[in-house]
């Protein structure tokens, strides 16, 4: 589960393994996280828009557990967390996917076009939103109000190759709460979160870590985030380059960045 601002743990699941314990939750193929205590954080209202991207796909083979039902995720976000959701609908949910694709998108007037240039390409995005709670368009999904269609045109500035991509999504937000411009901004905010996970996976080799017991995974993730934020505050745009610079004086430079004395007794 990806959330704007910070990562959150998944809710408790109802199914149990043979030992009678709740199974670990895997988010986007990562190591298991500890389950939150029952009732913890339910009294705190969270009005940020939670993004569940890429979750509508079947569980992996080879011993990995199947992800919990996405309907339960949607209900949990709306009923327990008092939040909104934006779900990408993929082909492994064939009935819902076909129903969203079959909507009368050509008649939609609520649309937004965004154009930008960067990373060696030119991109044009078309975002359309359609209220599906009206008679004849209702879709079978909890609290679903809006359907979204995002069409992307990308042109490689070096080769001139043009690629097209169409993404369909659903949300519980109304047309007043989420205009096509707002939907496009929320959808693109995913990449800011993915950039953090990419650095943790590549620079810190998080996926190769053998720490899996107790609070170890959460503690190590906190330390990696601390290292990234500290290096960015120090003016390092490349985390890998910043780590190399710090490694030249490993007994002094990290303490200076954190504002700590060079020794425990302060001498």
């Amino acid at each position: 589960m990806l959330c704007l601002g910070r990562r959150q743990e998944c809710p408790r699941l109802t199914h149990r393994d043979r030992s009678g314990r709740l199974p670990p939750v895997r988010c986007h193929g990562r190591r298991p996280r500890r389950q939150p205590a029952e009732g913890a954080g339910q009294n705190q209202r969270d009005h940020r828009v939670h993004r569940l991207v890429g979750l509508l796909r079947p569980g992996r083979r080879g011993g990995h557990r199947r992800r919990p039902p996405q309907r339960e995720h949607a209900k949990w976000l709306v009923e327990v967390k008092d939040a909104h959701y934006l779900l990408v609908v993929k082909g492994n949910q064939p009935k819902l996917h076909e129903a969203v694709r079959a909507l009368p998108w050509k008649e939609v007037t609520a649309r937004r076009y965004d154009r930008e240039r960067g990373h060696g390409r030119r991109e044009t995005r078309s975002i359309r939103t359609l209220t599906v709670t009206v008679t004849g368009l209702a879709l079978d999904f909890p609290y679903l109000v809006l359907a979204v269609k995002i069409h992307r045109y990308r042109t490689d500035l070096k080769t001139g190759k043009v690629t097209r991509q169409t993404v369909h999504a659903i949300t519980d937000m109304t047309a007043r709460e989420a205009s096509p411009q707002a939907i496009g901004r929320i959808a693109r905010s995913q990449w800011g979160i993915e950039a953090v996970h990419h650095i943790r996976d590549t620079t810190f080799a998080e996926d190769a870590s053998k720490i899996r017991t107790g609070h170890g995974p959460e503690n190590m993730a906190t330390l990696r985030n601390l290292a990234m934020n500290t290096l960015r505050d120090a003016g390092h745009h490349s985390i890998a380059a910043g780590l190399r610079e710090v490694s030249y004086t490993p007994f002094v430079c990290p303490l200076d960045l954190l504002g700590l004395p060079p020794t425990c007794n302060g001498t």
Side-chain angles (χ1 to χ4, degrees), residues 69-142:
Q70 307 315 312
R71 295 174 181 272
E72 297 302 321
H73 274 301
K75 291 180 179 179
W76 180 77
L77 286 171
V78 176
E79 297 174 0
V80 178
K81 302 302 291 182
D82 194 20
H84 296 296
Y85 66 79
L86 177 64
L87 284 165
V88 175
V89 183
K90 298 188 177 181
N92 56 4
Q93 296 284 329
K95 292 183 179 180
L96 182 60
H97 189 239
E98 288 300 323
V100 175
R101 289 185 58 188
L103 293 174
W105 293 109
K106 293 183 179 180
E107 303 175 9
V108 174
T109 57
R111 62 183 66 183
R112 166 79 179 186
Y113 292 94
D114 292 323
R115 296 176 177 85
E116 65 178 25
R117 184 183 181 122
H119 304 285
R121 65 174 181 249
R122 183 173 61 250
E123 181 174 342
T124 300
R125 294 181 299 276
S126 169
I127 304 102
R128 304 184 185 189
T129 60
L130 177 63
T131 301
V132 296
T133 53
V134 298
T135 304
L137 296 180
L139 302 179
D140 183 19
F141 199 86

Side-chain angles (χ1 to χ4, degrees), residues 162-182:
V162 179
T163 58
R164 300 179 181 181
Q165 181 187 28
T166 301
V167 177
H168 295 90
I170 55 177
T171 179
D172 67 317
M173 291 181 286
T174 63
R176 289 188 177 183
E177 294 172 324
S179 63
Q181 181 179 4

Side-chain angles (χ1 to χ4, degrees), residues 193-211:
I193 302 173
E194 290 296 333
V196 175
H197 299 328
H198 176 74
I199 294 174
R200 282 165 49 173
D201 290 340
T202 56
T203 305
F204 292 96
E206 186 177 61
D207 285 344
S209 175
K210 302 298 182 181
I211 302 175

